[in-house]
Amino acid sequence: MVQVSDLRPGAARAQIRRLEERVAELESDLTELRRHQVRLAEIVDVVQELLVPLSGRDEAAAAEAIERFQRSL
């Protein structure tokens, strides 16, 4: 449906500009979300290493997981 405001000169350019701005915002949000997902995966790795029973724990792997996480901060 065509609206009266869409018939004014430059309306299409303005709408395209708004859509481009919105896409840029969404891309930024997606990048941030991906960064948070990677951080969560790193935390899960550390927690998994620390929750392994003491008798079967690989101390070197646990230390490496903690170090990786700390470097990522």
Side-chain angles (χ1 to χ4, degrees), residues 10 15-16 26 37 39 42 45-46 52 54 56 59 61-62 66:
Q15 185 176 18
I16 289 171
L26 292 170
Q37 288 175 332
R39 175 75 49 152
E42 291 169 346
D45 288 345
V46 170
V52 173
L54 288 175
E59 290 296 326
I66 292 170

Side-chain angles (χ1 to χ4, degrees), residues 8-15:
R8 71 179 205 280
R13 284 189 298 272
Q15 185 176 18

Side-chain angles (χ1 to χ4, degrees), residues 1-8 11:
M1 180 173 172
V2 176
Q3 297 179 357
V4 174
S5 63
D6 291 336
L7 299 177
R8 71 179 205 280

Side-chain angles (χ1 to χ4, degrees), residues 5-71:
S5 63
D6 291 336
L7 299 177
R8 71 179 205 280
R13 284 189 298 272
Q15 185 176 18
I16 289 171
R17 188 181 68 249
R18 284 192 305 273
L19 290 172
E20 288 173 339
E21 290 170 356
R22 182 64 182 138
V23 167
E25 290 173 10
L26 292 170
E27 288 174 339
S28 176
D29 290 348
L30 182 60
T31 298
E32 184 176 350
L33 179 61
R34 286 178 177 159
R35 191 174 66 248
H36 289 303
Q37 288 175 332
V38 168
R39 175 75 49 152
L40 180 59
E42 291 169 346
I43 291 170
V44 168
D45 288 345
V46 170
V47 170
Q48 284 177 339
E49 288 293 332
L50 296 175
L51 290 179
V52 173
L54 288 175
S55 63
R57 184 186 307 189
D58 181 352
E59 290 296 326
E64 181 182 336
I66 292 170
E67 185 179 329
R68 268 196 325 270
F69 176 71
Q70 288 175 341
R71 280 194 313 258

